[in-house]
Amino acid sequence: MIDEIYDLFIWNATMTPEEYEARVKKGLALAERVQYLYPFLQPMIPGHSKSVWEPCARVLAARSDEALEPYLYQLFEWLQDLTWPGADIIRDRLLKIPFHRLEDSWKLSVTIARREGDEGWLENLEDFKKEARK
């Protein structure tokens, strides 16, 4: 089923925006039946790079806080580059979760970003924290 969902999420230049959105909606409906969310965390589809990330982010954003909890660190990885497809969707969804429930995963992300010297990710994480605490 995951392969079928990915196929629906892959955009190509022959589709109109309306055709693509109709395909994505079919994929989103199928994804509602998928219990484990790992396949939607920034998957790399050979030959398609990040083309499925925005619809995958929509799948994740539709899930409950409890369903997302085991994946919080991976969701923070999406904030490494806010120009990535779906990063804005994930950021907005994370902001809906009380910060105290995210804090351990946020701290882990900060630690890894520092170790990797990823200044952009650190800045995005700090900005996220400021926004989450408003």
Side-chain angles (χ1 to χ4, degrees):
M1 179 182 327
I2 295 298
D3 290 345
E4 182 180 355
I5 294 168
Y6 287 159
D7 287 342
L8 290 167
F9 287 172
I10 294 170
W11 177 85
N12 74 54
T14 65
M15 292 180 216
T16 66
E18 295 79 18
E19 290 170 328
Y20 178 63
E21 185 58 26
R23 290 174 56 88
V24 167
K25 284 183 180 178
K26 286 180 189 176
L28 293 173
L30 287 174
E32 288 176 4
R33 297 187 291 191
V34 176
Q35 179 180 357
Y36 302 107
L37 302 178
Y38 194 78
F40 302 108
L41 294 164
Q42 297 179 315
M44 293 307 291
I45 310 302
H48 298 285
S49 186
K50 300 172 182 145
S51 69
V52 301
W53 285 13
E54 189 273 336
C56 286
R58 290 169 61 181
V59 168
L60 296 165
R63 297 301 176 102
S64 69
D65 293 358
E66 293 75 22
L68 294 177
E69 197 161 344
Y71 309 97
L72 292 175
Y73 166 72
Q74 289 92 344
L75 293 173
F76 277 114
E77 284 183 332
W78 221 308
L79 303 187
Q80 285 179 313
D81 186 336
L82 296 178
T83 67
W84 284 342
D88 56 332
I89 294 168
I90 296 300
R91 185 177 188 283
D92 290 347
R93 179 61 183 91
L94 286 170
L95 285 169
K96 293 178 182 175
I97 301 172
F99 189 76
H100 71 273
R101 292 181 67 186
L102 302 169
E103 193 164 10
D104 288 343
S105 295
W106 179 87
K107 286 179 181 177
L108 174 60
S109 300
V110 168
T111 298
I112 292 170
R114 282 188 181 134
R115 184 176 25 183
E116 294 177 359
D118 190 333
E119 295 300 321
W121 190 16
L122 277 170
E123 184 177 325
N124 292 340
L125 290 167
E126 289 298 330
D127 290 347
F128 175 87
K129 182 179 179 182
K130 288 174 192 170
E131 183 71 20
R133 292 212 161 158
K134 282 186 180 180

